[in-house]
Amino acid sequence: MINKNYYAVLMAGGVGSRFWPVSTANNPKQFHDMLGTGETLIQKTFKRLNAFVPTQNILILTNERYNDLVMQQLPMIKQEQVVLEPAMRNTAPCILYAALKIQKMNSEGMMIVAPSDHWIEDEDAFAADVVQCFQKCEAEEVLCTLGIQPSFPNTGFGYIEFNKAQEETLKEVIQFREKPDYQTAKSFLEQGNFLWNAGIFMWSVQTIIRAFQEHQPTQYELFRRGIPAYNTEKEQGFIQENYPKAENVSIDYAILERAKAIFVLPASFDWNDLGTWGSLYDKLGKDDQQNVVVNGKLLDLDASGNMVRLPKGKVAVIEGLDDYIIVDKEDVLMIVPKAKEQNIKELVARTKATFGEQYG
């Protein structure tokens, strides 16, 4: 199934602050074994893509500060496959930059953009869905995305509304919808033609570059000037000087909400965005008391519904606690009710303010 025209752009620049204290600004969640599988999230994602994309065709898009972590965890890649952002500018600029680099390597390139921190169990189904989208993008000048069948009215995801009158597997997108309130999310599920936006996109490099020319001409012109430098020793100098000038804008707003020919494939695989400790709890197997423990061992006494993450080999004895997040890291111990996990970002800020930046 591996095709020399297939390329992948692995988005690995996020901080993942909702997984504090394991995930920090200097060592975010994609570089951790969050599931206790023996592989970090970025390693699992790379392997999933490498099933149908050649190793040398996978680019890692990340912040400059994470370069060493990427090279340590993915020793099979070369330094030039790590595309470093000198400034945080959201997803549109880095996707355009990567597309221009790929086009210079291979004008026939087909490109998947995928987050590095999602959990997908059926990797064969994932590969088949992506290849189906690639085939659509090879045959027509379209943009494709994968949508996830909603299992409940989640207010934390954006939604994709599609044309339910179509019988084809790939559905024409009517519009992308922002994160809704609960009643709106309920109405989306009742209508039956809304999918969660997983942030996984497929297109030919030619099509996405033309979309930037049409809908983001200023952004396109900024990065077009670097084409002679891309994939040469002059690239870093151009990017250091020009990347910070790029508009801070998401690919959804810059392109997907404006482009016309967009199709969504309802995914045939299980998916979890692993955005919070609660989502990790939902994903993992439970003991008889509905506790989840990652890495260590747990003796639970009248304690149920807890999400417990420990250093490898450590034993936790917990009595009389229900529905808590308990995370033991070398320098920080966090014990927070699951119902208050939305306050974790605030706890990070307060901890740094009280004890120093090294704790965030």
Side-chain angles (χ1 to χ4, degrees):
M1 198 194 296
I2 287 182
N3 185 316
K4 65 181 176 60
N5 289 337
Y6 291 173
Y7 290 78
V9 176
L10 200 51
M11 307 290 278
V15 174
S17 57
R18 288 176 294 178
F19 272 111
W20 185 81
V22 170
S23 179
T24 64
N26 288 327
N27 194 359
K29 68 171 179 175
Q30 58 268 30
F31 301 110
H32 290 279
D33 177 8
M34 299 302 301
L35 296 143
T37 63
E39 291 181 302
T40 65
L41 294 177
I42 193 172
Q43 288 170 333
K44 288 189 73 66
T45 306
F46 187 95
K47 187 183 288 186
R48 184 185 310 132
L49 293 166
N50 204 192
F52 57 94
V53 178
T55 300
Q56 67 273 18
N57 289 6
I58 301 178
L59 303 182
I60 313 299
L61 256 168
T62 192
N63 191 274
E64 283 181 334
R65 70 164 103 174
Y66 305 139
N67 181 69
D68 290 348
L69 283 168
V70 170
M71 294 306 295
Q72 288 163 15
Q73 296 200 5
L74 301 174
M76 70 290 290
I77 67 171
K78 297 177 181 177
Q79 179 62 61
E80 54 262 34
Q81 291 172 248
V82 186
V83 182
L84 299 174
E85 304 168 85
M88 301 287 268
R89 287 294 181 271
N90 216 312
T91 51
C94 58
I95 288 172
L96 173 59
Y97 171 28
L100 289 167
K101 279 175 63 67
I102 293 169
Q103 185 188 44
K104 194 174 176 186
M105 298 178 211
N106 181 355
S107 62
E108 301 299 312
M110 309 300 301
M111 168 180 170
I112 174 173
V113 177
S116 61
D117 53 3
H118 290 179
W119 173 246
I120 293 170
E121 267 186 66
D122 190 341
E123 298 189 341
D124 290 339
F126 169 79
D129 284 357
V130 173
V131 170
Q132 186 177 345
C133 289
F134 274 164
Q135 290 168 346
K136 176 81 169 178
C137 295
E138 283 175 319
E140 303 172 43
E141 191 170 331
V142 299
L143 306 173
C144 287
T145 183
L146 298 178
I148 309 299
Q149 194 65 51
S151 52
F152 66 99
N154 194 316
T155 59
F157 297 145
Y159 285 71
I160 303 168
E161 181 181 0
F162 64 87
N163 181 356
K164 60 181 171 184
Q166 284 184 301
E167 293 185 5
E168 293 85 353
T169 315
L170 274 149
K171 312 292 186 184
E172 187 178 1
V173 172
I174 295 173
Q175 61 180 325
F176 287 80
R177 302 290 288 265
E178 299 294 328
K179 295 175 183 177
D181 59 32
Y182 182 74
Q183 289 303 322
T184 305
K186 274 185 68 176
S187 75
F188 286 172
L189 267 65
E190 288 162 4
Q191 290 175 65
N193 62 323
F194 285 82
L195 301 166
W196 287 338
N197 182 358
I200 303 171
F201 308 111
M202 285 93 7
W203 38 59
S204 73
V205 290
Q206 293 183 10
T207 298
I208 191 62
I209 289 168
R210 276 195 285 267
F212 270 97
Q213 285 178 283
E214 180 179 353
H215 301 294
Q216 297 290 319
T218 304
Q219 193 95 279
Y220 170 75
E221 185 57 29
L222 174 68
F223 284 94
R224 183 202 63 79
R225 293 199 303 268
I227 290 174
Y230 296 150
N231 309 328
T232 76
E233 70 281 355
K234 296 180 180 178
E235 178 177 337
Q236 186 177 10
F238 175 84
I239 289 299
Q240 288 285 348
E241 180 183 349
N242 291 280
Y243 199 94
K245 300 174 187 175
E247 183 184 357
N248 189 337
V249 60
S250 71
I251 191 70
D252 300 67
Y253 180 78
I255 301 297
L256 299 175
E257 292 179 10
R258 302 162 191 254
K260 297 293 185 285
I262 305 181
F263 288 82
V264 62
L265 178 64
S268 61
F269 51 84
D270 289 337
W271 173 90
N272 192 307
D273 81 325
L274 294 184
T276 64
W277 287 112
S279 66
L280 187 59
Y281 173 85
D282 292 340
K283 186 72 219 165
L284 294 175
K286 281 76 170 174
D287 66 15
D288 292 344
Q289 304 304 314
Q290 295 301 297
N291 295 305
V292 167
V293 60
V294 175
N295 287 339
K297 298 176 182 177
L298 175 65
L299 177 61
D300 48 62
L301 307 167
D302 190 28
S304 64
N306 297 298
M307 172 70 232
V308 183
R309 192 183 197 277
L310 305 166
K312 283 187 179 177
K314 190 160 189 176
V315 171
V317 180
I318 300 174
E319 182 172 5
L321 275 185
D322 297 327
D323 299 319
Y324 270 74
I325 299 165
I326 302 158
V327 182
D328 186 3
K329 196 171 167 247
E330 297 81 14
D331 51 354
V332 177
L333 170 64
M334 182 183 76
I335 304 171
V336 176
K338 279 199 299 193
K340 292 188 176 181
E341 77 167 340
Q342 69 274 12
N343 298 338
I344 288 178
K345 283 189 177 184
E346 181 189 338
L347 294 179
V348 178
R350 291 179 66 179
T351 303
K352 288 197 292 185
T354 304
F355 301 108
E357 288 289 325
Q358 70 268 32
Y359 293 100

